Each structure stands twice: as C-alpha cells, then as structure tokens.
Amino acid sequence: MYPNYLLLLFTSLLFLGSCSNTSAPQKAVDQAFKTTPPSRIYFKNIRSASYSTLDNEREGMDLYRLRKYEQPAKAFRIVPTIADYWLNDQAYILFQFENPDTLALTTPLEIQWESSGQENGSVQLTPMNQKGQHAFAKNLYELLQQKHQLFLALEDNKRVKIFDNHQELSYIMTVLRDYFKLTEAI
C-alpha cells in the first residue's frame, strides 16, 4: 500500500516539475542586496531580538530599527534601519536623520573624515536611493572600522563631530554589521 503512495507522490512531483514554466523572466537581483535563507534565519532568530520590527506582510517586507534608538535624540543623529524584503530575497539599508532641523545640513549629506596620519576625505549620501544608501553604508562602515574621526558637514562651511560617543558608535556599528551579514557582504 505504501509503495503505491510513494510512486504516486514521485510521479506527481515529476509531473509538476516538468510543467513549470522555465521560460518565465526572472527578476534580476543586485548581488549587493541579495540575502540567502541561512543569513536570513541567523538574522531573524539571533539578531532581530535587538530590534523593534515593523512587519508589512502585503509588501513582503520587514523593517528593523535597533531598540537602542527608541530613546529620543537630544542632538542630530543618523539612524540606520534594515529593510528585509523577504519576498524578493533582498535587504536594504535606510538612513533616517533625527533632529535635522537643529543643524544646517549640506545637500547632499556629506561626512568628512580625518585620520591620525593627516589623511582626510569625505563621503556623500548620493543619490538618495537604495544603491546610494548601500554605498554610503559601506563607506561609513569602513571609516568607522579604521577608527577615523568623522564630522558632519554643514552649509556654513562648519562641521560637527559625530560618533564620538562610544554608545552611538556601537549602535551604528551593530546595525551596519548586521546588515552586511544579512546580505553576506562580510
């Protein structure tokens, strides 16, 4: 009796597999945003406990914001949010700015950096789309790992030091590291 069910199951699977439309166009996925089941499982089961979550079942997306950012900001700060677009096996990083009206920010947003060896430079958040935010996150992560001093450029040619507080530095590093692990960039 069981061999007949196994034969029927095997035949059904074989039939369904041969009937699938292999000529359907596949949506191209940018490898920078690609997630895999193991990276998503690790993030969902281990790392997501540190985040507050906004689920959007209809769109197939979950937004994760580090719980430490739930405290109101006393000064300007950059808050990264991870957007897990699980419907398309992609993840994005979204930057939000809290208390932006306390400073006259440059457009586009510019972060200047200095190293102890007299080197300096800047990175800009441009364009303000998924690729631009991903590139900005990658540059910011590398600068923070190299322990450069970072400054927010202001319109009046002044600047304000950012991430000089160990707590704020650890928050942004946590989110960036989790995002890059989710997309398997590190």
Side-chain angles (χ1 to χ4, degrees), residues 1 13-14 17-18 45 49 54-55 64 66 72 90 92 98 101 130 132 163 173 176 180 183:
M1 178 139 191
L13 289 175
L14 186 63
S18 66
N45 291 345
L54 177 64
D55 300 330
Y64 296 92
L66 194 65
Q90 296 178 354
Y92 306 107
E98 291 186 357
D101 34 328
Q130 293 146 342
F163 307 124
M173 285 297 287
L176 293 175
F180 288 123
T183 58

Side-chain angles (χ1 to χ4, degrees), residues 9-136:
L9 178 67
F10 178 77
T11 307
S12 299
L13 289 175
L14 186 63
F15 176 74
L16 289 174
S18 66
C19 290
S20 68
N21 185 0
T22 58
S23 64
Q26 296 291 321
K27 190 173 184 179
V29 175
D30 190 332
Q31 291 302 315
F33 306 119
K34 181 112 175 88
T35 61
T36 62
S39 67
R40 179 169 288 111
I41 289 170
Y42 173 79
F43 182 78
K44 292 277 281 179
N45 291 345
I46 308 285
R47 297 301 309 143
S48 68
S50 301
Y51 292 82
S52 56
T53 308
L54 177 64
D55 300 330
N56 188 342
E57 290 286 327
R58 199 178 93 234
E59 297 293 325
M61 182 181 291
D62 298 330
L63 298 175
Y64 296 92
R65 181 178 172 145
L66 194 65
R67 289 184 201 273
K68 308 273 184 179
Y69 285 122
E70 290 178 355
Q71 299 295 327
K74 295 178 182 135
F76 174 83
R77 73 176 172 191
I78 299 172
V79 180
T81 300
I82 297 173
D84 179 15
Y85 192 22
W86 49 265
L87 191 62
N88 284 344
D89 295 325
Q90 296 178 354
Y92 306 107
I93 189 90
L94 308 171
F95 288 99
Q96 299 170 314
F97 308 106
E98 291 186 357
N99 289 338
D101 34 328
T102 59
L103 301 171
L105 302 175
T106 59
T107 305
L109 183 84
E110 179 181 356
I111 295 191
Q112 300 171 349
W113 59 271
E114 291 180 358
S115 70
S116 57
Q118 304 296 338
E119 295 177 302
N120 60 36
S122 68
V123 294
Q124 293 183 341
L125 177 51
T126 182
M128 200 60 175
N129 60 19
Q130 293 146 342
K131 286 186 178 187
Q133 293 198 33
H134 176 82
F136 182 75

Side-chain angles (χ1 to χ4, degrees), residues 20 60 105 111 152 156 162-163 165 172-173 181:
S20 68
L105 302 175
I111 295 191
L152 183 64
D156 55 2
I162 55 174
F163 307 124
N165 175 324
I172 196 158
M173 285 297 287
K181 283 186 176 183

